Amino acid sequence: MDKLKSRDKPFDISKWEVLEAYREVKKNQGAPGVDGQSIEDFEKDLRGNLYKIWNRMSSGTYFPPAVRAVQIPKQHGGGTRMLGIPTVADRVAQTVVARHLGIRVDPVFHEDSYGYRPRRSALDAVETCRQRCWKRDWVIDLDIQKCFDSVRWDLIVKAVDAHADAVWVKLFVEAVASRTASTARRLLADARPGDPSGVGGLARAGEPVHALRVRHLAHPGISGDPVRAVCR
């Protein structure tokens, strides 16, 4: 494993981690980003593309490219939601960071937090609610409206900084936060008054916000996702 690391780089990132991250990205599939490159296209020079990601991340020179903005209809009507689609290479880089950070922050999550956590799913949350319905009398169903339209990125970076033990993770999150904030400002400037499409989806789906689980760091167990509480 040590042979997959370089002593000539300022940051110690294993090439094996980049490869494992790619395998995870390939498993999840996904549409091309702004560069139009699909996973199949990425694999045509897999070795070279993975090396570029590793080289830039371990050198501290990785800068996340723009995301492809796509409007999709909201699940329950009421307009559209802006979805940001990162490039395949950027998804690999995001996953490298997410895997590193996730191991360190998952233990601080609230026991009732199920969103974007390993070995947990929405079905697990439903099962917990089902069991508690026999013990409690009330169910509270709520959602934090436009959570990521107004999120303070400086607090996100600060939360990551409190839990990350690697400088390259902090640099990556700062770069992503900067890109997301500038993109959000541009979209807000171009938006028409009353335009139902927001920029929260761009941050939520296109950025590694959920992958990095920063929505849980400042307040474990609280996120922009719907919350259901069973109480007396």
Side-chain angles (χ1 to χ4, degrees):
M1 184 66 69
D2 292 337
K3 295 181 180 179
L4 295 176
K5 297 181 179 180
S6 174
R7 296 181 180 179
D8 300 327
K9 301 293 183 180
F11 302 122
D12 190 16
I13 303 176
S14 171
K15 293 179 181 177
W16 180 262
E17 279 297 319
V18 178
L19 177 60
E20 286 297 299
Y22 167 72
R23 289 171 176 169
E24 188 172 325
V25 169
K26 182 180 179 179
K27 179 180 179 181
N28 294 331
Q29 291 297 308
V34 293
D35 59 358
Q37 186 181 52
S38 65
I39 291 181
E40 290 74 19
D41 296 331
F42 187 86
E43 285 186 326
K44 292 178 180 179
D45 185 19
L46 181 60
R47 186 183 183 90
N49 286 326
L50 293 182
Y51 177 81
K52 289 178 184 177
I53 297 171
W54 170 82
N55 185 50
R56 292 170 182 171
M57 294 186 72
S58 59
S59 300
T61 58
Y62 181 87
F63 296 98
V67 296
R68 180 166 66 91
V70 178
Q71 288 191 359
I72 60 173
K74 291 185 177 180
Q75 184 176 4
H76 302 293
T80 60
R81 185 186 308 279
M82 188 68 71
L83 178 68
I85 304 177
T87 65
V88 175
D90 198 29
R91 294 205 295 271
V92 173
Q94 291 178 20
T95 304
V96 172
V97 177
R99 286 164 58 93
H100 180 92
L101 187 57
I103 295 174
R104 290 154 179 79
V105 301
D106 195 72
V108 306
F109 284 14
H110 192 281
E111 179 62 26
D112 287 337
S113 174
Y114 289 88
Y116 305 105
R117 296 183 64 183
R119 298 175 298 279
R120 289 190 174 218
S121 67
L123 293 179
D124 295 323
V126 171
E127 175 59 22
T128 299
C129 287
R130 188 188 70 83
Q131 295 176 7
R132 292 179 182 174
C133 282
W134 296 100
K135 303 176 183 179
R136 302 290 187 268
D137 300 327
W138 294 89
V139 175
I140 301 175
D141 190 353
L142 61 95
D143 193 1
I144 302 178
Q145 187 177 17
K146 297 182 179 179
C147 176
F148 290 99
D149 288 359
S150 57
V151 65
R152 286 184 54 184
W153 295 103
D154 59 322
L155 294 182
I156 289 180
V157 173
K158 184 176 180 180
V160 171
D161 185 66
H163 291 275
D165 58 355
V167 176
W168 59 271
V169 171
K170 302 173 187 178
L171 291 175
F172 186 93
V173 175
E174 288 175 353
V176 167
S178 176
R179 176 186 67 179
T180 306
S182 62
T183 303
R185 285 194 296 269
R186 187 177 70 253
L187 288 175
L188 287 173
D190 296 340
R192 300 184 304 275
D195 192 339
S197 61
V199 299
L202 187 64
R204 174 167 47 195
E207 310 297 345
V209 173
H210 66 269
L212 293 173
R213 303 168 177 86
V214 292
R215 60 175 63 177
H216 298 278
L217 293 180
H219 303 285
I222 299 178
S223 71
D225 293 324
V227 178
R228 288 165 182 81
V230 183
C231 55
R232 293 188 184 280

